[in-house]
Amino acid sequence: MADIDPAADRLASRAPAPRLTAIIVGAGMSGLLAAIRLKREGIHSFVVLEKAEDVGGTWLHNRYPGASCDIPSHLYSYSFRPKPDWSRMFAMQPEILDYFRDTAAEEGLRAHIALRTEVSAARFEEAQGLWHVEAKDGRRWDARFLVIATGQLNKPRVPDIPGRRDFAGIQFHSAEWNEAANVEGKNVVAVGTGASAVQFVPPVADQAKRLTVIQRSPNWLVPRPDREFSRRTKAAFGLLPPLRLLLRGYIYLTNELNFHAMRHPDGIIARVMERRARKHLEEQVPDPELRRQLTPDYPIGCKRILIASDYYPALMRDNVDLESDAVARVHQTGVELESGKRIPAEIIIWGTGFDTASFVAPIEVTGRNGQRLVEVWRDGAQGYKGTLVSGFPNMAVLYGPNTNLGHNSIIFMAERQMDYVMKIIRHVLGKDLRFVDVREEVEDRWNEALQRRLGRTVWAAGCDSWYKHDGKIINNWSSSTLRFAWELRSFDERRFEVAGWPLPAGQELTA
Ligand code: NAP
């Protein structure tokens, strides 16, 4: 695989910094999408700056055993880059990562991507209408547009539990899997029971001497309708695109229907989903005490609904224990629960999620009048249409505030965002403008309406989740994905402050 591409490296080290049309930060699903869209629309003057050693974002980092996507692959792929030969309904991480690697290569993006390049700061220069971007190692770039595509789930969070640093064994976060740590024949403790844990618990249970799963709160879990595609089916998808499109459309619409459960927690879809989850639990877990421990006390959809058919059976193995308690402290040789019970461990796996509140941080982003994004977002991140931020002109945040979903493919959302961003870029370049900046009152009004809608969803009350920060839902989109597409369908200049270029000295207009 290509290392830092020589062309991108040349681009990166030229001094003074060359003026580009766009800088994209991040080469995950959204960053690659942004690059493809620019290229396909004839814009070649851009660079993608990526901190990691390869493209793929979340699919590069989350390499834990069993990692996979809980959206079927025929939908969790770009609309314009179908892959008829997905090996199974829910592809595993290596196949998804290969899809993004192949995309980068086949779309000719490698020449634009500077790997191992961690952006530390971005500052908007109003007079020049330019974004100045700086990497940690001191390299700099200038561009008319800045597209931040760093994701919402990129900062692994390990709770600050007393004694954690005294642990004498091996400990790591699920998104930073220690491939050298062999769980075979070991006493392993896994903390957390979210979407990551339900995937790595079964393969770890297969190998560990003893695995103790520590659950703070149970989750609603439904079966995973996974299956391998036969050679014949894959060939049919290749030869008959309408067949593949039919499957994609079917997956999209059935997922879309699930939003009803989040919008109407007492409605029919929510009831059907809860019944399905309870039936799954009853069928897989005969022990009433274990079943009780695994039954959530909040409405379905409030936390992410988990999809797994091998998690409950793994919990019932003789070498696996479920502890419904919190970790009070970590000792040299294991963990101690709030109840005082001690569990010996040689390996601790933290499946404890991500810092999802800080979005683009630690990148120090400075907009007009020296405003720092971290200050603007002090009371919770917000954007206009989840994509723009007032005071930060010619800048877009893909998978930004209030764009996460609990029910459908995030690639659909990112594609709608890039449709919208391309409209803005074309508008600014086409009219030879210096910048466009969404008006503050427009952004505020949009967010008031958004928060009103969110207040009526299942996420607002009933449980705590990573979707909320200090009680405000800042991660999730409020409605159906179709509504998101509708909201981002056009660029309306009246909602923006529009700046042209100052006329050269001596040519001021006179009345
Ligand atoms: P998560 O959903 O935030 O789950 C974290 C788990 O750790 C929860 O069970 C949480 O308990 C527990 N926890 C946190 N702090 C704890 C503490 N101090 N003591 C004990 N337990 C603690 O994180 P995740 O599983 O990594 O998933 C995050 C998101 O990534 C998902 O919601 C999903 O959007 C995405 N994801 C998707 C897939 C997929 O497509 N298959 C797979 C993995 C991740 P509480 O519930 O009580 O807070």
Side-chain angles (χ1 to χ4, degrees), residues 307-324:
I307 303 178
S309 297
D310 54 356
Y311 179 64
Y312 290 150
L315 293 183
M316 287 189 308
R317 293 172 59 120
D318 289 342
N319 67 329
V320 178
D321 296 310
L322 178 73
E323 294 287 349
S324 296

Side-chain angles (χ1 to χ4, degrees), residues 23 25 49 117-124 131-142 146 148 360-367 372 395:
I23 294 168
V25 186
L49 308 177
T117 301
E118 183 170 355
V119 170
S120 53
R123 185 174 50 81
F124 187 67
W131 277 98
H132 302 296
V133 171
E134 193 169 331
K136 234 176 173 176
D137 59 14
R139 284 178 294 162
R140 288 184 293 122
W141 298 261
D142 286 350
L146 175 65
I148 303 181
V360 306
I363 301 172
E364 180 69 63
V365 182
T366 310
R372 296 166 63 227
M395 180 186 93

Side-chain angles (χ1 to χ4, degrees), residues 68 70 159 192-196 199 216-217 303-304 351-354 466:
S68 140
D70 54 18
T193 52
S196 302
Q199 294 186 336
R216 189 165 67 177
S217 17
K303 288 176 196 273
R304 189 176 175 92
T352 43
F354 300 83
W466 67 261

Side-chain angles (χ1 to χ4, degrees), residues 58-59 62 64 66-71 76 90 96 153 157-161 173-175 191-200 214-219 224 298 303-307 325-328 350-354 356 399 404-406 464-467:
T58 201
W59 300 107
N62 286 273
Y64 55 77
S68 140
C69 183
D70 54 18
I71 298 290
Y76 191 84
F90 294 86
I96 302 173
L153 298 157
R157 195 177 58 85
V158 175
D160 199 14
I161 291 173
H173 187 277
S174 59
V191 185
T193 52
S196 302
V198 298
Q199 294 186 336
F200 69 70
I214 300 180
Q215 168 186 274
R216 189 165 67 177
S217 17
N219 284 287
R224 184 180 176 83
Y298 54 83
K303 288 176 196 273
R304 189 176 175 92
I305 301 169
L306 307 184
I307 303 178
D325 200 352
V327 181
W350 300 97
T352 43
F354 300 83
T356 52
Y399 196 18
N404 182 57
L405 301 174
D464 200 17
S465 74
W466 67 261
Y467 306 152

Side-chain angles (χ1 to χ4, degrees), residues 82-94:
K83 178 173 152 59
D85 62 343
W86 283 111
S87 66
R88 52 194 314 120
M89 186 65 97
F90 294 86
M92 305 297 288
Q93 172 265 339

Side-chain angles (χ1 to χ4, degrees), residues 49-369:
L49 308 177
E50 168 56 58
K51 179 168 76 167
E53 70 284 2
D54 198 2
V55 303
T58 201
W59 300 107
L60 176 70
H61 298 295
N62 286 273
R63 297 160 179 258
Y64 55 77
S68 140
C69 183
D70 54 18
I71 298 290
S73 304
H74 277 282
L75 180 60
Y76 191 84
S77 37
Y78 299 122
S79 59
F80 50 85
R81 272 195 69 86
K83 178 173 152 59
D85 62 343
W86 283 111
S87 66
R88 52 194 314 120
M89 186 65 97
F90 294 86
M92 305 297 288
Q93 172 265 339
E95 192 177 1
I96 302 173
L97 179 59
D98 279 348
Y99 171 79
F100 288 114
R101 281 176 172 159
D102 292 348
T103 296
E106 287 161 22
E107 295 281 342
L109 303 183
R110 287 280 181 188
H112 294 268
I113 301 172
L115 298 172
R116 298 189 184 89
T117 301
E118 183 170 355
V119 170
S120 53
R123 185 174 50 81
F124 187 67
E125 180 73 55
E126 192 166 341
Q128 301 171 55
L130 277 183
W131 277 98
H132 302 296
V133 171
E134 193 169 331
K136 234 176 173 176
D137 59 14
R139 284 178 294 162
R140 288 184 293 122
W141 298 261
D142 286 350
R144 300 293 315 282
F145 300 93
L146 175 65
V147 180
I148 303 181
T150 50
Q152 291 194 12
L153 298 157
N154 59 355
K155 287 173 281 256
R157 195 177 58 85
V158 175
D160 199 14
I161 291 173
R164 201 173 68 76
R165 281 167 224 290
D166 302 336
F167 183 59
I170 300 172
Q171 53 176 323
F172 51 88
H173 187 277
S174 59
E176 293 167 339
W177 200 264
N178 181 340
E179 277 155 25
N182 185 359
V183 298
E184 199 169 340
K186 302 264 174 40
N187 288 317
V188 180
V189 164
V191 185
T193 52
S196 302
V198 298
Q199 294 186 336
F200 69 70
V201 160
V204 170
D206 274 346
Q207 295 202 326
K209 179 164 87 182
R210 178 142 292 282
L211 168 65
T212 307
V213 177
I214 300 180
Q215 168 186 274
R216 189 165 67 177
S217 17
N219 284 287
W220 291 107
L221 188 143
V222 294
R224 184 180 176 83
D226 197 10
R227 54 169 287 219
E228 252 182 67
F229 290 122
S230 67
R231 219 156 11 116
R232 217 187 273 174
T233 310
K234 288 186 277 192
F237 285 145
L239 289 169
L240 301 167
L243 195 66
R244 186 183 39 72
L245 279 171
L246 208 64
L247 176 63
R248 185 178 167 94
Y250 171 78
I251 302 166
Y252 172 76
L253 289 173
T254 46
N255 277 318
E256 194 65 350
L257 203 61
N258 290 342
F259 179 72
H260 190 275
M262 286 142 216
R263 174 64 187 82
H264 301 284
D266 300 320
I268 175 81
I269 304 286
R271 286 206 303 277
V272 168
M273 284 173 86
E274 189 178 318
R275 211 173 306 136
R276 196 158 152 245
R278 283 186 191 277
K279 186 162 170 271
H280 183 51
L281 182 62
E282 275 159 28
E283 282 172 359
Q284 290 205 324
V285 181
D287 174 5
E289 171 50 25
L290 185 55
R291 225 189 275 161
R292 189 192 56 74
Q293 282 188 65
L294 290 168
T295 306
D297 61 357
Y298 54 83
I300 195 161
C302 190
K303 288 176 196 273
R304 189 176 175 92
I305 301 169
L306 307 184
I307 303 178
S309 297
D310 54 356
Y311 179 64
Y312 290 150
L315 293 183
M316 287 189 308
R317 293 172 59 120
D318 289 342
N319 67 329
V320 178
D321 296 310
L322 178 73
E323 294 287 349
S324 296
D325 200 352
V327 181
R329 58 174 300 118
V330 179
H331 294 282
Q332 263 197 343
T333 55
V335 302
E336 184 180 327
L337 303 180
E338 297 267 324
S339 64
K341 183 172 177 178
R342 284 199 182 203
I343 299 161
E346 291 154 281
I347 296 177
I348 303 176
I349 304 169
W350 300 97
T352 43
F354 300 83
D355 164 11
T356 52
S358 58
F359 289 87
V360 306
I363 301 172
E364 180 69 63
V365 182
T366 310
R368 293 169 76 188
N369 308 317

